[in-house]
Amino acid sequence: MTIGEKIIKERKRQGLTQQALADMCSVTKRTIASYETDGRIPHASTLRKIALALGCTTDYLADDSILELQAPTEEQIYIHGLREAYGDTTADEIESLIAKNVSLFAGGMLDQDAKDKYFLALTNAYIACKKAGERTGD
Protein backbone atom coordinates (compact mmCIF):
# COMPACT_ATOMS: atom_id res chain seq x y z
CA MET A 1 0.00 0.00 0.00
CA THR A 2 1.47 3.38 -1.00
CA ILE A 3 1.80 6.45 1.18
CA GLY A 4 -1.01 8.11 -0.78
CA GLU A 5 -3.33 5.15 -0.26
CA LYS A 6 -2.55 5.12 3.45
CA ILE A 7 -3.20 8.86 3.80
CA ILE A 8 -6.57 8.47 2.07
CA LYS A 9 -7.48 5.42 4.19
CA GLU A 10 -6.53 7.00 7.51
CA ARG A 11 -7.97 10.41 6.62
CA LYS A 12 -11.32 8.81 5.82
CA ARG A 13 -11.13 6.61 8.92
CA GLN A 14 -10.74 9.80 10.96
CA GLY A 15 -13.63 11.41 9.07
CA LEU A 16 -11.42 14.21 7.76
CA THR A 17 -11.68 16.04 4.48
CA GLN A 18 -8.55 16.89 2.53
CA GLN A 19 -9.03 20.50 3.63
CA ALA A 20 -9.32 19.57 7.30
CA LEU A 21 -6.15 17.49 7.14
CA ALA A 22 -4.38 20.27 5.26
CA ASP A 23 -5.38 22.78 7.94
CA MET A 24 -4.09 20.48 10.69
CA CYS A 25 -0.76 20.13 8.89
CA SER A 26 -0.33 23.76 7.78
CA VAL A 27 -0.34 22.87 4.08
CA THR A 28 -2.83 23.43 1.27
CA LYS A 29 -5.60 21.09 0.20
CA ARG A 30 -3.81 20.81 -3.14
CA THR A 31 -0.70 19.53 -1.34
CA ILE A 32 -2.69 16.80 0.44
CA ALA A 33 -4.34 15.86 -2.85
CA SER A 34 -0.94 15.57 -4.51
CA TYR A 35 0.26 13.20 -1.79
CA GLU A 36 -2.86 11.11 -2.18
CA THR A 37 -3.04 10.94 -5.95
CA ASP A 38 0.18 12.12 -7.64
CA GLY A 39 2.64 10.02 -5.71
CA ARG A 40 4.37 13.04 -4.16
CA ILE A 41 6.20 12.26 -0.94
CA PRO A 42 5.90 14.76 1.93
CA HIS A 43 8.99 16.37 3.43
CA ALA A 44 9.93 14.86 6.78
CA SER A 45 8.40 17.70 8.81
CA THR A 46 5.11 17.49 6.91
CA LEU A 47 5.09 13.69 7.13
CA ARG A 48 5.38 13.98 10.92
CA LYS A 49 2.44 16.40 11.03
CA ILE A 50 0.32 14.14 8.83
CA ALA A 51 1.14 11.09 10.94
CA LEU A 52 0.26 12.92 14.15
CA ALA A 53 -3.00 14.22 12.68
CA LEU A 54 -3.93 10.73 11.48
CA GLY A 55 -2.88 9.00 14.69
CA CYS A 56 -0.22 6.81 13.12
CA THR A 57 3.54 6.61 12.80
CA THR A 58 5.67 8.07 10.04
CA ASP A 59 7.08 4.58 9.48
CA TYR A 60 3.60 3.24 8.78
CA LEU A 61 2.92 5.96 6.22
CA ALA A 62 6.32 5.93 4.51
CA ASP A 63 6.99 2.18 4.37
CA ASP A 64 4.89 0.47 1.69
CA SER A 65 5.58 -2.93 3.26
CA ILE A 66 3.91 -1.98 6.59
CA LEU A 67 0.24 -2.74 6.13
CA GLU A 68 -1.05 -2.63 9.70
CA LEU A 69 -1.80 0.72 11.30
CA GLN A 70 0.82 1.66 13.88
CA ALA A 71 -0.21 4.17 16.52
CA PRO A 72 2.52 6.55 17.68
CA THR A 73 4.28 5.68 20.91
CA GLU A 74 4.46 8.01 23.91
CA GLU A 75 8.07 8.67 22.95
CA GLN A 76 7.10 9.69 19.39
CA ILE A 77 4.39 12.01 20.71
CA TYR A 78 6.92 13.52 23.16
CA ILE A 79 9.51 14.05 20.41
CA HIS A 80 6.86 15.67 18.20
CA GLY A 81 6.01 18.07 21.03
CA LEU A 82 9.69 18.94 21.41
CA ARG A 83 9.93 19.52 17.67
CA GLU A 84 6.97 21.91 17.78
CA ALA A 85 8.23 23.77 20.86
CA TYR A 86 12.00 23.83 20.31
CA GLY A 87 12.66 22.91 16.68
CA ASP A 88 14.27 20.03 14.83
CA THR A 89 17.78 20.35 16.29
CA THR A 90 16.67 19.97 19.90
CA ALA A 91 14.18 17.20 19.07
CA ASP A 92 16.83 15.30 17.10
CA GLU A 93 19.33 15.62 19.97
CA ILE A 94 16.81 14.30 22.52
CA GLU A 95 15.72 11.52 20.19
CA SER A 96 19.36 10.48 19.75
CA LEU A 97 19.99 10.54 23.50
CA ILE A 98 16.92 8.40 24.13
CA ALA A 99 17.97 5.90 21.46
CA LYS A 100 21.49 5.64 22.89
CA ASN A 101 20.16 5.13 26.40
CA VAL A 102 17.66 2.51 25.27
CA SER A 103 20.44 0.54 23.62
CA LEU A 104 22.57 0.89 26.74
CA PHE A 105 19.81 -0.35 29.03
CA ALA A 106 18.52 -3.04 26.66
CA GLY A 107 21.88 -4.64 26.09
CA GLY A 108 25.44 -3.53 25.93
CA MET A 109 28.30 -4.69 28.06
CA LEU A 110 27.31 -3.09 31.38
CA ASP A 111 26.00 -5.30 34.15
CA GLN A 112 22.83 -4.30 35.99
CA ASP A 113 24.71 -2.61 38.84
CA ALA A 114 26.63 -0.40 36.39
CA LYS A 115 23.37 0.47 34.59
CA ASP A 116 21.76 1.42 37.91
CA LYS A 117 24.73 3.67 38.78
CA TYR A 118 24.59 5.33 35.35
CA PHE A 119 20.87 5.98 35.72
CA LEU A 120 21.40 7.42 39.20
CA ALA A 121 24.18 9.70 37.89
CA LEU A 122 21.93 10.85 35.05
CA THR A 123 19.08 11.51 37.47
CA ASN A 124 21.37 13.44 39.82
CA ALA A 125 22.67 15.55 36.93
CA TYR A 126 19.10 16.38 35.94
CA ILE A 127 18.15 17.35 39.51
CA ALA A 128 21.27 19.51 39.90
CA CYS A 129 20.56 21.35 36.63
CA LYS A 130 16.91 21.81 37.57
CA LYS A 131 17.85 23.29 40.94
CA ALA A 132 20.42 25.58 39.34
CA GLY A 133 17.79 26.74 36.84
CA GLU A 134 15.34 27.46 39.64
CA ARG A 135 17.92 29.58 41.44
CA THR A 136 18.66 31.62 38.30
CA GLY A 137 15.03 31.79 37.16
CA ASP A 138 15.60 29.75 33.94
Side-chain angles (χ1 to χ4, degrees):
M1 184 180 295
T2 67
I3 189 170
E5 293 168 333
K6 289 177 182 178
I7 292 172
I8 292 169
K9 176 183 172 186
E10 298 310 321
R11 178 178 59 76
K12 289 182 177 180
R13 185 180 60 81
Q14 295 279 347
L16 298 171
T17 63
Q18 285 180 335
Q19 185 64 58
L21 180 58
D23 292 344
M24 294 170 77
C25 299
S26 303
V27 297
T28 65
K29 177 183 174 185
R30 183 176 179 185
T31 299
I32 296 296
S34 70
Y35 298 149
E36 291 183 351
T37 59
D38 297 341
R40 278 192 53 213
I41 305 297
H43 293 285
S45 59
T46 304
L47 182 63
R48 286 189 293 268
K49 290 177 183 179
I50 292 171
L52 185 67
L54 296 177
C56 61
T57 64
T58 55
D59 288 342
Y60 166 72
L61 290 176
D63 188 336
D64 292 351
S65 68
I66 300 174
L67 302 177
E68 295 294 318
L69 175 67
Q70 295 176 328
T73 64
E74 285 184 38
E75 180 183 319
Q76 290 167 325
I77 293 168
Y78 170 69
I79 296 296
H80 177 78
L82 288 175
R83 212 172 284 290
E84 293 292 313
Y86 302 105
D88 287 340
T89 302
T90 298
D92 290 344
E93 288 174 358
I94 298 295
E95 191 170 30
S96 175
L97 284 170
I98 291 170
K100 288 175 184 175
N101 280 285
V102 165
S103 65
L104 173 75
F105 289 124
M109 299 177 66
L110 297 179
D111 62 22
Q112 190 60 47
D113 186 52
K115 290 176 188 178
D116 291 344
K117 287 178 181 175
Y118 168 76
F119 184 73
L120 181 60
L122 187 62
T123 302
N124 288 337
Y126 166 76
I127 292 169
C129 290
K130 183 176 179 181
K131 286 179 181 177
E134 289 170 354
R135 285 193 299 270
T136 62
D138 289 342

